[in-house]
Amino acid sequence: MPRHSYESIQAEIARLQGLAKKLRKQHAATKQRARRKVVALMKKLGLTLGDLTATPLAGDASAKSAKTAAKSATTRKRQTKRVPIKYRGPHRGDTWTGRGRTPRWLAAYIAAGGKKEDYLIGK
């Protein structure tokens, strides 16, 4: 790798900053042209900013796709009901719904000769 002098690095920085300034101006001009096109189209169609933020019409194809997108967003996360606790253990925080694998505290109690009904809530 060739060694660079301080002056050559400073010149490269100045060149890149000039390029960045030119790109910023181009980007701002592109945004301005797009804004003019949008405003002209809105005037032509008689739309306001409120029309753009309003809920879509029921017969509108974009309304259907918006509803589909909203529905899929809500159903992505599986919605489940919370299962009530059926068993409460001897120590604070020891609970079990009766579903899935038997917890250690209850399995140890059953192995020692106890019955799981002893910890049943509301007996």
Side-chain angles (χ1 to χ4, degrees):
M1 181 167 128
R3 294 186 58 116
H4 298 286
S5 68
Y6 177 78
E7 292 79 20
S8 67
I9 292 173
Q10 289 298 323
E12 183 69 12
I13 290 171
R15 184 185 72 78
L16 290 173
Q17 285 176 337
L19 181 61
K21 185 176 181 181
K22 180 181 174 183
L23 289 173
R24 273 194 303 272
K25 285 182 181 180
Q26 287 176 349
H27 182 68
T30 303
K31 283 174 59 175
Q32 188 62 27
R33 282 191 303 273
R35 184 181 176 280
R36 279 193 224 113
K37 286 180 183 178
V38 169
V39 169
L41 186 59
M42 287 177 67
K43 284 182 182 178
K44 179 180 174 183
L45 297 173
L47 292 172
T48 65
L49 286 177
D51 295 332
L52 296 178
T53 58
T55 55
L57 301 173
D60 191 8
S62 62
K64 291 177 185 174
S65 64
K67 283 182 182 178
T68 304
K71 186 176 181 181
S72 66
T74 58
T75 57
R76 279 186 202 136
K77 184 177 178 186
R78 187 174 156 199
Q79 297 190 4
T80 58
K81 277 187 165 180
R82 189 172 204 109
V83 179
I85 297 169
K86 287 179 70 176
Y87 300 94
R88 188 170 313 277
H91 302 291
R92 185 174 180 218
D94 289 345
T95 58
W96 185 44
T97 62
R99 294 185 180 182
R101 188 174 178 185
T102 307
R104 287 186 207 147
W105 59 267
L106 187 55
Y109 181 74
I110 293 169
K115 298 178 187 173
K116 70 178 179 180
E117 289 77 21
D118 295 341
Y119 289 112
L120 190 62
I121 296 174
K123 58 177 179 170

